[in-house]
Amino acid sequence: MIAAPVLSVDSLAKRFGGVEAVSEVSFSLRAGEILALIGPNGAGKSTTFNLVNGQLAPDRGRVVIAGADTAGLSPRAIFRLGVGRTFQIASVFGSMTVRENVETVLLSHRRQLFSVWRGGRDADGGDADRLLALAGIPALADAPASSLAYGDVKRLELAMALVGEPKLLLMDEPTAGMAPEERTSLMALAAKIARERDIAILFTEHDMDVVFRHADRIMVMDRGRLIVEGPPETIAADPQVRAVYLGEGFSPGPEAGEGSP
Ligand SMILES: Nc1ncnc2c1ncn2[C@@H]1O[C@H](COP(=O)(O)OP(=O)(O)OP(=O)(O)O)[C@@H](O)[C@H]1O
Ligand SMILES: [Mg+2]
């Protein structure tokens, strides 16, 4: 049996003045699948993300998350459908400890659920510590977030995105600003968590090593349109993708496709 997709996007379109930022974009994503959205600067990747997470309303088209049409829903309501996200620019509270950052998200999550959910524990440190362990930074729980190395800030953001046990994780350039060797390890961690918990990930990324190592499937966007979609091997060999983005000399390296099932 094939499960219904976690995310399904149909003919999505968004225009900013004269710019067709997203045009006729359709794709779907199933549980546990890791899908990369790549393409040149200004291709429409972040706009696509913001249409999915409800930050922007589409001019046309439909977004269905876990069976629910998101038309007219606020970002909060979409979050409640089971969507977690990390940001291109790290967004943690430097004055709080690492644990307090996660607790803040846990609290706000519980407050939002309160009308439909009255059981369970209070916001003690238990759940926060479990998420920090999952993100690989349990030892940093009591450290001020401002003291963290950048790679650990990104791990903290991952822990925060996992609050509420999302079915879908949206990661817009999760490794931006990180050292190259740290990037792969962050994405490896996210991929491992996703596979263990059957979470679908949609991510954008300019580091092709990260993309080709961890994506099950890659979509390429250029000037608002999806031009090709397929497994990493297909994308690496595609002449149009090489022309608009990867470059003629591109080679995905020996580990490419490692993340594929
Ligand atoms: N809020 C906005 N108002 C006006 N134009 C916008 C807005 N957001 C995006 N755009 C334009 O839409 C197009 C797509 O931008 P978008 O940020 O989605 O690209 P991107 O693929 O995420 O690029 P990058 O790789 O640089 O992050 C660009 O031409 C951009 O200038
Ligand atoms: Mg972007």
Side-chain angles (χ1 to χ4, degrees), residues 1 20 30 36 46 60 65 67 69 73 80 86 98 122 131 142 150 156 179 182 187 190-191 194 219 227 244:
M1 193 188 83
E20 189 104 38
R30 42 184 176 71
S46 293
R60 290 188 307 284
I65 295 172
D69 191 325
L73 295 186
R80 282 198 294 268
T86 63
V98 167
D122 291 324
L131 290 166
D142 295 313
Y150 194 65
L156 171 55
E182 275 188 330
M187 206 55 214
M219 300 189 297
I227 54 171
V244 302

Side-chain angles (χ1 to χ4, degrees), residues 84-190:
R85 59 186 294 211
T86 63
F87 298 85
Q88 191 165 343
I89 297 160
S91 56
V92 304
F93 297 106
S95 61
M96 294 182 182
T97 67
V98 167
R99 184 189 288 110
E100 284 163 354
N101 267 279
V102 179
E103 281 172 348
T104 303
V105 185
L106 278 166
L107 256 175
S108 113
H109 180 65
R110 287 181 177 133
R111 220 174 279 134
Q112 286 176 37
L113 291 185
F114 194 66
S115 54
V116 289
W117 181 89
R118 286 166 190 282
R121 277 174 289 172
D122 291 324
D124 55 56
D127 285 357
D129 285 342
R130 187 180 56 80
L131 290 166
L132 291 174
L134 201 57
I137 48 170
L140 298 176
D142 295 313
S146 58
S147 72
L148 297 186
Y150 194 65
D152 291 328
V153 173
K154 299 301 252 185
R155 285 171 199 274
L156 171 55
E157 280 202 300
L158 179 60
M160 291 159 78
L162 290 168
V163 165
E165 299 179 9
K167 302 180 192 76
L168 170 65
L169 203 51
L170 302 173
M171 306 177 86
D172 195 357
E173 298 196 31
T175 75
M178 294 176 87
E181 58 280 7
E182 275 188 330
R183 290 182 200 150
T184 334
S185 82
L186 179 81
M187 206 55 214
L189 175 67

Side-chain angles (χ1 to χ4, degrees), residues 16 19 21-22 39-48 56 88 172-173 206:
F16 296 113
V19 179
V22 169
N41 294 117
K45 305 180 298 293
S46 293
T47 305
T48 302
L56 287 172
Q88 191 165 343
D172 195 357
E173 298 196 31
H206 284 291

